[in-house]
């Protein structure tokens, strides 16, 4: 792989020399980003290192899901999609340490500690901003590994109607519909998405409990058949030229359908899995000046998980007196609630410009978490309260001279400093102060960035209270732990970025040190509740419990190179990662050094795209993408194999007019037909079924621009200028 990456680097440098006279088609470094500081900066001027997946990249790549997009376009991510969620990892840390935002608001959809990223419609993404590490005071306990902010498309047409239908191998269907209406003070946007797959089976080989040889006719699938859909609505009202109010809501359902096997002791499935998600939010923005603003957001979210029984089953349930019975009878068509997670959040924030080139951000957050799990929590419910107060300053000066305007450029070297402080209070773990400091030195086309930040994360309600069983080739029991301690972290990073015309190079080194990191540890079967040992006997193959590691460390280097020309773009990314952690071995009274589950030392991605407008009615785009990973390490059940997967995409923009757009996309994923045949239930490097094909058609109708409220009474010249903007 190293040889291939070297050849690719040489090719792109040669291409840069040969095509240096070609006019640039926009500069991605001129994109405005907001995630690192919560305020707007050009990407090249952002004082906190930010990685961006741009609208141009998204349009050319044509990803089927957010997992597909992030793994294909960034070398920092690894995924192992499963029934319970995305199993996402960024720079060595998993879902619980990665904060996923949608337009700056927290995504809610935790299933067993794994975010359900199918809540995000890939066809409604404008760009993705990625900030690594707990590098900002604006984000709290969920952001020790970093922040992924999904920026959705913004629509200001008087009428917008959009339909995208995508179909692919294994019954893959993706449907997107949008309706936007805008007039005067009011704007409405309605979004519908549907995702379906028939699932697939990479192998029929599976190890049975207490067997010395595997069976070869298992019916268990690598990815089960599933369907999910979501309907969302957002209303925006310009109450005055300076005051904007909004209300939004969504509803989501997902069903996972599991095949029935023929081995009654462990392979016959008697229930499917259902998920329901609902959200509602209100808020507003009050503009105090050109850059000063006050915002208020209040959000409620619910995520519920059910077992939907397909045959008569004896499972945990309650009798008429409310007593828990391990062998309670359920019948076909009935459902059993496994967990109901609800969250209520309020966030007040202000940004003000102060004298001497200071920009101050301050905010207050309050969060209430509620978990209902009748069969999996001793008291059936649990709750938690968390509050936070933060403050952040952005300051810029030209070294050896007068200070310059924030976000602008300076002839002399410029220094940007962004200190921040966050005070956290958790109901069960008290107060914790976490400082942050980011600095950027600008010297011509060279930018040097450095960050240090502390993080604090209290255990989740599930980590402390939840108890559940996972039935695969054997029964695995997972236990919560009310004796867990809060986790803390120190993150250090150093970044260098150099831009030479159309060529952009970045290198980032980082170290993330965690104390009391929480992870699942295998414990003796004798520590499982006696009732479960009696019920499952030898079928209870493994018991795992959440425990605090003594300490953990992730460190690595991320490299990227990107060439952007008029019709041609190319780039590559490389991520080196090393992790280790110390777990106390009670059996031998010593610390044991282990790797963090899911780590791969080397990951990379490479791409080249070309697009050209042949006529006003036809534009063609071609793209080749590759992603690679070495072996992924796990403490139990084997390691995931290394792999490389290549993808070919084509885009065809047809019949463009002022009101109507057509777009056809088609491509082949996994051109070399790689498929991991590891026996079912053990770890995979990738779940891809092999070579697949897809095609999609988008039809977009748009008409007129909204006449904004603050321009209704202005003269015709201003109206015309507003419409042009």
């Amino acid at each position: 792989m190293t040889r291939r990456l070297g050849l690719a680097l040489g090719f792109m440098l040669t291409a840069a020399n040969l095509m240096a006279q070609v006019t640039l088609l926009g500069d991605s470094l001129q994109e405005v980003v907001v995630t690192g500081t919560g305020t707007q900066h050009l990407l090249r001027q952002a004082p906190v290192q930010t990685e961006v997946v741009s609208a141009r990249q998204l349009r050319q790549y044509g990803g089927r899901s957010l997992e597909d997009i992030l793994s294909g376009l960034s070398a920092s991510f690894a995924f192992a999609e499963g029934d319970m969620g995305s199993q996402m990892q960024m720079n060595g840390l998993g879902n619980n340490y990665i904060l996923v935002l949608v337009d700056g608001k927290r995504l809610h959809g935790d299933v067993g500690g794994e975010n359900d990223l199918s809540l995000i419609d890939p066809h409604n993404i404008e760009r993705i901003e990625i900030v690594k590490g707990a590098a900002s005071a604006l984000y709290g306990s969920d952001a020790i590994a970093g922040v992924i902010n999904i920026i959705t498309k913004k629509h200001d047409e008087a009428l917008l109607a959009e339909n995208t239908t995508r179909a692919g191998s294994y019954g893959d269907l993706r449907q997107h519909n949008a309706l936007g209406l805008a007039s005067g003070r009011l704007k409405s946007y309605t979004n519908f998405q549907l995702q379906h797959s028939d699932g697939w089976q990479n192998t029929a080989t599976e190890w049975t409990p207490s067997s010395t040889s595997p069976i070869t006719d298992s019916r268990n699938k690598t990815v089960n058949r599933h369907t999910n859909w979501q309907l969302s609505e957002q209303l925006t009202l310009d109450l005055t030229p300076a005051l904007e109010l909004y209300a939004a809501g969504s509803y989501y359902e997902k069903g996972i359908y599991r095949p029935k096997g023929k081995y009654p002791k462990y392979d016959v499935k008697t229930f499917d899995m259902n998920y329901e998600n609902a959200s509602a939010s209100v808020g507003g923005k009050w503009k105090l000046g050109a850059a000063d603003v006050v915002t208020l957001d209040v959000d409620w979210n619910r995520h519920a998980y059910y077992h939907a029984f397909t045959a008569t089953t004896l499972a945990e349930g309650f009798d008429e007196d409310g007593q828990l019975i391990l062998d309670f009878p359920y019948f076909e068509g009935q459902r059993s609630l496994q967990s109901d997670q609800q969250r209520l959040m309020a966030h007040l924030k202000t940004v003000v410009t102060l004298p001497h080139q200071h920009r101050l951000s301050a905010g207050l957050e309050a969060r209430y978490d509620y978990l209902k799990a009748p069969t999996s929590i001793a008291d059936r419910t649990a709750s938690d309260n968390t509050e936070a107060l933060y403050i952040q300053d952005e300051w810029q000066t030209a070294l050896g001279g007068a200070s310059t305007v924030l976000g602008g450029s300076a002839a002399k070297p410029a220094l940007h400093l962004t200190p921040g402080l966050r005070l956290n209070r958790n109901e069960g773990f008290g107060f914790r102060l976490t400082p942050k400091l980011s600095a950027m030195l600008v010297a011509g086309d060279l930018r040097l960035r450095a960050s240090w930040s502390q993080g604090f994360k209290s255990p989740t309600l599930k980590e402390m209270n939840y108890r559940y069983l996972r039935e695969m080739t054997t029964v695995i029991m997972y236990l919560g732990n009310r004796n867990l301690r809060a986790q803390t972290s120190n993150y250090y990073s150093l970044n260098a970025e150099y831009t030479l015309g159309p060529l952009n190079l970045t290198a980032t080194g980082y170290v993330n040190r965690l104390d009391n990191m929480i992870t699942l540890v295998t414990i003796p079967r004798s520590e499982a509740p006696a009732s479960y040992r009696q019920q499952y006997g030898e079928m209870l193959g493994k018991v795992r419990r959440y425990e605090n590691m003594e300490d953990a460390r992730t460190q690595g280097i991320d490299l990227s190179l990107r060439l952007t020309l008029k019709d041609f773009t190319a780039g590559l990314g490389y991520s080196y990662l090393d992790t280790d952690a110390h777990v106390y071995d009670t059996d031998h009274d010593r610390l044991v050094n282990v790797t963090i589950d899911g780590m791969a030392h080397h990951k990379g991605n490479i791409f080249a795209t070309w697009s050209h407008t042949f006529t006003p009615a036809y534009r063609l785009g071609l793209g080749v993408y590759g992603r690679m990973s070495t072996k992924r390490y796990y403490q139990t059940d084997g390691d995931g194999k290394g792999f490389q997967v290549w993808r070919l995409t084509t885009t065809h923009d047809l019949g463009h007019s002022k009101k109507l757009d057509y777009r056809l996309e088609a491509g082949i994923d996994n051109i070399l037909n790689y498929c991991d045949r590891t026996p079912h239930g053990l770890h995979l490097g990738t779940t891809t079924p092999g070579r697949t094909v897809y095609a999609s058609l988008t039809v977009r109708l748009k008409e007129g621009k909204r006449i904004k409220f603050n321009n209704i009474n202005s003269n015709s010249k201003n109206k015309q200028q507003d419409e042009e903007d």
Side-chain angles (χ1 to χ4, degrees):
M1 186 181 73
T2 304
R3 182 181 179 184
R4 292 192 181 104
L5 291 176
L7 291 173
L9 177 62
F11 166 75
M12 285 185 287
L13 290 174
T14 302
N17 291 327
L18 293 175
M19 305 177 70
Q21 302 302 317
V22 181
T23 305
L24 286 167
L25 181 62
D27 184 358
S28 62
L29 297 178
Q30 300 302 315
E31 288 202 56
V32 175
V33 296
V34 298
T35 306
T37 62
T39 55
Q40 293 188 348
H41 290 273
L42 296 179
L43 177 59
R44 66 185 302 158
Q45 298 291 351
V48 176
Q49 171 64 15
T50 305
E51 181 180 347
V52 173
V53 179
S54 67
R56 181 178 179 181
Q57 290 174 281
L58 291 168
R59 282 174 59 85
Q60 185 64 58
Y61 187 73
R64 63 189 288 269
S65 65
L66 184 60
E67 294 95 330
D68 185 17
I69 292 167
L70 290 175
S71 61
L73 296 177
S74 176
S76 301
F77 290 93
F79 293 90
E81 288 186 68
D83 289 341
M84 301 298 289
S86 64
Q87 300 179 36
M88 173 172 53
Q89 191 182 83
M90 180 169 72
N91 284 359
L93 295 175
N95 291 70
N96 277 345
Y97 302 96
I98 304 170
L99 177 59
V100 181
L101 306 175
V102 180
D103 293 327
K105 299 179 181 61
R106 293 168 182 255
L107 178 72
H108 183 71
D110 175 35
V111 182
E114 298 168 353
N115 287 317
D116 183 359
L117 298 182
S118 58
L119 285 160
I120 299 170
D121 183 356
H123 295 100
N124 196 36
I125 301 175
E126 176 64 27
R127 70 179 186 276
I128 302 171
E129 299 179 6
I130 303 162
V131 175
K132 297 170 184 175
S136 174
L138 277 64
Y139 311 112
S141 61
D142 298 327
I144 284 179
V147 180
I148 304 170
N149 193 6
I150 311 299
I151 310 298
T152 61
K153 295 177 180 178
K154 302 300 182 287
H155 307 282
D156 211 30
E157 294 87 356
L159 170 64
L160 168 71
E162 186 175 64
N163 176 87
T164 298
T165 301
R166 170 182 169 135
S169 304
Y170 299 98
D172 188 73
L173 176 66
R174 310 277 157 158
Q175 181 65 39
H176 160 80
N177 293 95
L179 177 64
L181 300 170
S183 178
R185 303 185 184 192
L186 188 64
K187 181 167 64 173
S188 166
Y189 183 70
T190 307
N191 190 82
F192 171 80
Q193 66 153 330
L194 181 144
Q195 303 176 8
H196 172 82
S197 173
D198 288 340
W200 57 85
Q201 184 186 53
N202 285 1
T203 178
T205 301
E206 182 169 352
W207 287 93
T208 64
S210 67
S211 174
T212 58
S213 61
I215 64 170
T216 57
D217 57 350
S218 169
R219 297 180 185 177
N220 286 317
K221 290 190 173 184
T222 306
V223 173
N224 285 317
R225 183 168 67 93
H226 58 272
T227 303
N228 60 270
W229 63 270
Q230 182 184 52
L231 181 65
S232 61
E233 168 67 28
Q234 175 153 333
L235 294 170
T236 305
L237 175 65
D238 293 332
L239 194 61
T240 72
L243 181 60
E244 176 186 280
L245 304 177
Y246 78 89
S250 68
Y251 181 77
Y252 167 94
E253 284 190 5
K254 182 175 184 177
I256 298 174
Y257 311 101
R258 307 191 302 167
K260 293 182 180 179
K262 61 180 184 178
Y263 298 95
K265 287 187 177 181
Y266 69 93
D267 199 27
V268 174
K269 309 297 188 301
T270 59
F271 63 86
D272 294 329
M273 293 180 281
N274 291 166
Y275 303 96
E276 294 178 359
N277 187 292
S279 69
S281 60
V282 294
K285 178 191 295 185
W286 181 24
K287 299 177 183 177
L288 304 177
D292 299 347
V293 65
V294 176
T295 61
L296 174 64
D297 299 287
V298 179
D299 303 283
W300 169 82
N301 294 269
R302 175 179 185 260
H303 192 84
Y305 164 45
Y306 298 88
H307 286 173
F309 292 93
T310 57
T312 300
T313 306
L314 296 177
E316 293 177 306
F318 295 90
D319 62 17
E320 294 180 355
D321 297 325
Q323 297 298 313
L324 178 64
I325 300 175
L326 292 181
D327 291 324
F328 186 82
Y330 287 94
F331 302 97
E332 182 177 355
Q334 291 184 313
R335 295 201 307 176
S336 170
L337 176 66
Q338 301 300 299
S339 68
D340 179 357
Q341 301 174 81
Q342 298 189 43
R343 184 190 67 199
L344 181 64
M345 284 194 67
H347 183 196
L348 177 65
K349 176 186 172 183
T350 183
V351 179
V352 294
T353 302
L354 301 178
H356 307 295
Q357 308 305 328
H358 290 271
R359 182 185 296 167
L360 193 68
S361 299
L364 177 65
E365 289 183 1
R367 171 174 172 171
Y368 172 73
D369 287 285
Y370 170 82
L371 171 61
K372 179 180 180 181
T375 62
S376 302
I377 293 180
D379 299 325
R380 302 193 186 183
T381 65
S383 62
D384 192 24
N385 288 289
T386 303
E387 297 83 34
L389 175 68
Y390 64 84
I391 188 168
Q392 172 187 273
D393 183 32
E394 299 173 64
W395 177 69
Q396 173 184 334
T397 184
L399 298 179
S403 60
T404 59
V405 178
L406 279 167
S409 59
K412 297 181 179 180
L415 177 66
H416 303 240
L417 291 177
T418 309
L421 199 62
R422 185 180 183 93
L423 178 64
N424 304 275
R425 191 209 75 90
N426 179 265
E427 177 182 358
F429 297 90
F431 289 88
R432 178 75 184 199
L433 195 64
T434 54
K436 331 272 180 176
L437 177 62
S438 296
M440 179 175 72
L441 178 65
V442 179
D445 293 321
L446 176 65
R447 281 157 175 76
L448 299 175
R449 297 179 177 91
S451 290
W452 165 71
S453 60
Q454 289 189 343
F456 170 79
K457 180 174 174 58
S458 58
T460 67
L461 291 174
K462 281 194 170 183
E463 289 170 340
M464 290 191 296
N465 299 282
Y466 209 57
R467 177 195 66 209
Y468 65 99
L469 298 172
R470 185 179 182 187
E471 299 181 28
M472 296 180 61
T473 57
T474 186
V475 176
I476 303 175
M477 186 170 197
Y478 297 88
L479 297 174
N481 184 353
R482 293 191 176 184
N483 296 318
L484 291 172
R485 301 183 300 276
Q487 304 162 96
T488 59
S489 69
N490 277 277
Y491 177 78
Y492 309 86
S493 70
L494 182 63
N495 165 265
E497 178 181 359
Y498 185 70
T499 304
L500 179 62
L503 193 64
N504 177 256
L505 302 96
T506 66
T508 304
Y510 65 89
V511 176
N512 206 348
R513 298 185 180 275
L514 286 80
D515 289 322
N516 297 321
M517 180 180 178
I518 295 172
T519 189
L520 283 166
V521 174
T522 300
I523 60 175
R525 292 174 64 251
S526 59
E527 296 189 30
S531 57
Y532 288 88
R533 296 200 308 270
Q534 294 171 3
Q535 180 179 7
Y536 289 97
E538 292 301 319
M539 286 294 298
L540 185 59
K542 190 177 298 182
V543 181
R544 308 200 78 194
R545 183 170 61 203
Y546 287 104
E547 298 282 358
N548 288 104
M549 289 185 174
E550 298 300 319
D551 58 55
R553 172 187 53 81
T554 69
Q555 61 184 13
I557 299 174
D558 292 338
L559 305 173
S560 71
L561 181 151
R562 181 162 299 171
L563 175 69
T564 306
L565 302 167
K566 180 180 180 181
D567 289 338
F568 177 79
T569 63
L572 62 84
Y574 167 74
S575 178
Y576 169 77
L577 172 66
D578 185 45
T579 72
D580 64 67
H582 294 96
V583 180
Y584 189 74
D585 184 349
T586 55
D587 293 336
H588 300 90
D589 194 27
R590 65 181 181 180
L591 286 176
V592 179
N593 191 48
V594 299
T595 60
I596 296 177
D597 278 351
M599 181 205 74
H601 281 304
H602 307 279
K603 296 190 297 293
N605 69 313
I606 186 170
F607 73 92
T609 67
W610 176 82
S611 60
H612 185 72
T613 301
F614 289 92
T615 70
Y618 180 62
R619 181 177 180 85
L620 171 66
L622 301 173
V624 177
Y625 302 84
R627 58 186 177 95
M628 310 87 176
S629 175
T630 56
K631 177 172 64 175
R632 299 186 70 185
Y633 294 88
Y634 291 88
Q635 296 177 43
T636 62
D637 294 335
D639 298 324
K641 297 178 181 179
F643 65 89
Q644 59 172 304
V645 175
W646 293 86
R647 174 190 183 102
L648 174 67
T649 68
T650 69
T651 61
H652 311 264
D653 292 293
L654 309 168
H656 177 74
S657 68
K658 292 183 178 180
K659 294 185 177 181
L660 198 60
D661 292 332
Y662 300 93
R663 182 177 177 85
L664 176 66
E665 300 177 2
I668 304 173
D669 200 10
N670 198 349
I671 301 171
L672 302 181
N673 199 30
Y674 173 78
C675 185
D676 192 335
R677 306 293 184 184
T678 299
H680 182 79
L682 304 181
H683 290 297
L684 302 175
T686 174
T687 59
T688 175
R691 186 182 300 115
T692 59
V693 298
Y694 73 91
S696 73
L697 175 65
T698 298
V699 180
R700 189 170 188 263
L701 171 67
K702 58 184 187 297
E703 187 169 347
K705 282 282 189 180
R706 176 172 65 128
I707 300 177
K708 297 181 181 178
F709 170 66
N710 58 344
N711 287 320
I712 290 177
N713 297 319
S714 62
N715 58 44
S716 58
K717 180 179 179 180
N718 288 337
K719 290 182 182 179
Q720 180 181 354
Q721 183 63 48
D722 180 67
E723 292 175 359
E724 291 174 357
D725 292 342

